Amino acid sequence: MWLTAVLVRVLPAAVGAAAIGCAQLAGIENTVGPGDSIAVTRLSIGSKIVLTPVDPAEVTATYFVASRDPSGYDRVSPVPDPSHGRLTTQLRAPAPVEFTLAHDAAPIPRLFAFPGPQLSVLYGVLEHPNPQPAPMGATLAVNATLDAPIVAGQSFQVYVVGAWLQRVFSAIEAAPGAMQVTAPMLSFTAANSVSGRPQVDQITTDDAFLILRYVGPSLTGVAEAMPFTQDMAGAVTTPMFPAPMMPVAPAMPPLMFNAGVSPAAIAERYRTVQPAVAVPPAVQISWSLVAAPGYAVVSNAGPVLQSGTLAMTDNGVTLTYANPFATRGWNTIFTLATAVPRVYMAPIGPMGTSVPVTLFAGMNQFLEPPPATPDPVPLELPAGLPQVITIGNTVLATDNAFIKQSSQFFNVSFTVDAPSSAADQGPRSYNLQLFDLVLDPTMMAVDRVLVFAAAGKDPAFALPPELFQVGHIYTLRALSTLGGALGTEQGDFRNPQLPLAQAYLDSGTFTVTP
């Protein structure tokens, strides 16, 4: 999953994990002209990190300047400045700016509200450079030799870093007693996507095509194919494995991590959020160690080294681990992910029937495991947990609120708790995401469709009125981030770094009325 102090798509039980999705980071440069300006750089996270400036002509942006206009804001359109790779204005005071990208697969308006006048935005995506769709019906013939016969309790998966695909081998493809894992017609669909994108990308020589072996939740073996490009004509492509699977050998000296966790204290913090969630025993607590190619930009997508869950009676995690990808610069990220679900019955089924959708409150923490110490590293989830979200004069503390459509901007704000552990631990920033609850009639399930995302220094945002459509049901997700780049509170996210903590809350649902 892709992590950032500015914008992140958060999965219920693990950020990251996280996946991911995509995110944006904003930074300041004080070397360009006097007016407000914005530049966008695409940050492709694959087996390596690649930065590509986005042509200003492909960026559509609007600055919102508070005024006496009936909507509450004037809209100012910047003009392209190709010589500096920016969109520029004559505005002399920092103003919130909303932008979309012309070639984004699903253009989503993204708002940045920071006190810096000149933003440099990193648009982070789990991908290799210049991704192309895989050919229709593309298949691979996989045959990887192992270092030992397959035994009960082992599982195998293919994991492609770059195209970001993951698929588990069946019991037939990885049969007990066999010395190979074999899949003569292996294919990928959107369900295999680690990034969450609907497009399945063509595998290229920029990718790492891995076969991973696990015993329970622990990585015990890795086989890597020689770099190859998937046949675009749709013919079967055969990855070549130059060597048998290598066992994951313990590091010397062994790498150890000892973390202290208090499930009872975690549960107590969830008791104050609105809408209320059930705690305990509904608190979900999981952890993972991941070899992260995007470690340097705080993305924890990558091969899982170890993972597990914690019960309410546990007091931490103690483990010994190895990272066979460390020599590639895929450093280890430890994620502690906690969440509490609640179920909303959305009245959007046939004939007005209700369809369940799960909403969440969550707290997560991310760090590189430090050198072994005699005392456990305390994991206190220090980011402030959003408590309640307000839109206009409506407190979204329960579901099924009604919000009247308006020509004015909608003021949205939220409060957060203040854990004592958060004192002086780094910069803070805030995010807001707007989700439209949409029925998928083929699955009779509710999709949470992201339609807007905002990031800023304060937990308060003004949302354009055109976002809200009459008859639609929405929920807002508030996020609070502690840590990251030292200049976060001024909007400088050019150098994201660990440790980092995030907490989030899904609001009560609301329907827009005429």
Side-chain angles (χ1 to χ4, degrees):
M1 166 153 310
W2 167 243
L3 310 174
T4 170
V6 181
L7 181 62
V8 65
R9 181 180 179 183
V10 184
L11 299 180
V15 168
I20 272 104
C22 65
Q24 292 69 45
L25 303 115
I28 298 175
E29 295 177 357
N30 293 316
T31 58
V32 180
D36 289 358
S37 67
I38 182 172
V40 181
T41 298
R42 192 177 189 94
L43 188 153
S44 299
I45 304 171
S47 60
K48 298 180 180 178
I49 295 174
V50 178
L51 297 171
T52 307
V54 176
D55 187 336
E58 297 180 4
V59 181
T60 300
T62 303
Y63 283 85
F64 299 136
V65 181
S67 72
R68 295 181 180 179
D69 184 85
S71 71
Y73 289 84
D74 288 332
R75 300 180 186 233
V76 177
S77 297
V79 297
D81 179 6
S83 63
H84 293 99
R86 291 182 164 271
L87 294 165
T88 63
T89 72
Q90 295 300 311
L91 297 174
R92 292 298 186 268
V97 57
E98 176 189 280
F99 80 93
T100 58
L101 299 183
H103 297 300
D104 201 352
I108 297 170
R110 310 177 194 278
L111 179 76
F112 290 87
F114 289 95
Q118 296 168 348
L119 295 175
S120 293
V121 176
L122 292 179
Y123 182 81
V125 187
L126 293 175
E127 64 178 12
H128 55 231
N130 304 309
Q132 300 296 320
M136 293 293 294
T139 59
L140 300 104
V142 176
N143 190 338
T145 301
L146 307 177
D147 56 318
I150 298 173
V151 299
Q154 293 178 336
S155 62
F156 295 81
Q157 62 177 254
V158 59
Y159 196 104
V160 186
V161 176
W164 292 105
L165 299 166
Q166 183 179 32
R167 179 187 177 281
V168 175
F169 286 96
S170 70
I172 295 175
E173 296 167 332
M179 282 292 296
Q180 294 87 23
V181 287
T182 304
M185 295 289 287
L186 186 147
S187 61
F188 296 105
T189 68
N192 301 118
S193 173
V194 175
S195 67
R197 296 196 312 277
Q199 173 180 301
V200 176
D201 292 340
Q202 177 199 22
I203 300 170
T204 74
T205 53
D206 289 318
D207 300 339
F209 190 95
L210 309 171
I211 305 296
L212 307 178
R213 178 180 63 204
Y214 289 88
V215 174
S218 299
L219 181 68
T220 63
V222 179
E224 182 171 358
M226 296 177 62
F228 68 93
T229 296
Q230 194 171 12
D231 189 288
M232 284 302 290
V236 177
T237 304
T238 304
M240 303 300 295
F241 292 85
M245 175 170 282
M246 294 293 294
V248 175
M252 296 302 293
L255 298 174
M256 303 184 67
F257 182 53
N258 184 10
V261 180
S262 173
I266 292 170
E268 191 63 28
R269 286 183 64 190
Y270 281 119
R271 294 185 188 280
T272 57
V273 302
Q274 299 180 63
V277 292
V279 294
V283 180
Q284 304 167 354
I285 306 177
S286 62
W287 60 269
S288 65
L289 279 172
V290 170
Y295 161 85
V297 291
V298 198
S299 167
N300 70 345
V304 174
L305 305 175
Q306 292 189 42
S307 62
T309 60
L310 294 180
M312 295 301 294
T313 54
D314 292 328
N315 59 10
V317 178
T318 300
L319 52 88
T320 301
Y321 68 98
N323 182 352
F325 307 104
T327 55
R328 305 182 66 147
W330 300 2
N331 287 25
T332 305
I333 291 182
F334 179 88
T335 299
L336 176 67
T338 78
V340 183
R342 65 181 183 87
V343 176
Y344 168 66
M345 300 301 295
I348 57 177
M351 305 298 291
T353 56
S354 295
V355 183
V357 56
T358 303
L359 304 174
F360 293 89
M363 295 184 288
N364 308 290
Q365 191 167 351
F366 316 92
L367 69 155
E368 183 178 16
T373 59
D375 299 319
V377 176
L379 300 182
E380 299 176 326
L381 300 166
L385 175 62
Q387 299 292 288
V388 65
I389 303 170
T390 300
I391 180 169
N393 295 319
T394 302
V395 179
L396 299 176
T398 60
D399 292 316
N400 298 315
F402 293 94
I403 303 295
K404 186 177 178 60
Q405 191 182 47
S406 174
S407 60
Q408 295 184 328
F409 276 57
F410 287 84
N411 291 318
V412 178
S413 62
F414 55 93
T415 58
V416 299
D417 70 0
S420 58
S421 61
D424 300 321
Q425 286 197 11
R428 294 169 176 81
S429 60
Y430 302 93
N431 298 82
L432 188 72
Q433 298 174 340
L434 176 66
F435 292 91
D436 193 354
L437 302 185
V438 178
L439 178 69
D440 178 352
T442 61
M443 303 295 292
M444 282 306 297
V446 177
D447 290 334
R448 298 168 67 250
V449 179
L450 180 65
V451 295
F452 180 80
K457 178 181 180 293
D458 301 305
F461 300 91
L463 275 57
E466 63 269 17
L467 294 172
F468 301 92
Q469 303 299 309
V470 170
H472 287 227
I473 302 175
Y474 296 95
T475 184
L476 290 159
R477 171 168 285 187
L479 299 101
S480 167
T481 300
L482 176 66
L486 295 179
T488 293
E489 291 170 325
Q490 294 298 311
D492 186 350
F493 292 88
R494 288 171 294 173
N495 299 296
Q497 59 189 5
L498 295 170
L500 184 142
Q502 286 183 321
Y504 60 95
L505 172 69
D506 290 333
S507 74
T509 61
F510 60 94
T511 301
V512 178
T513 62

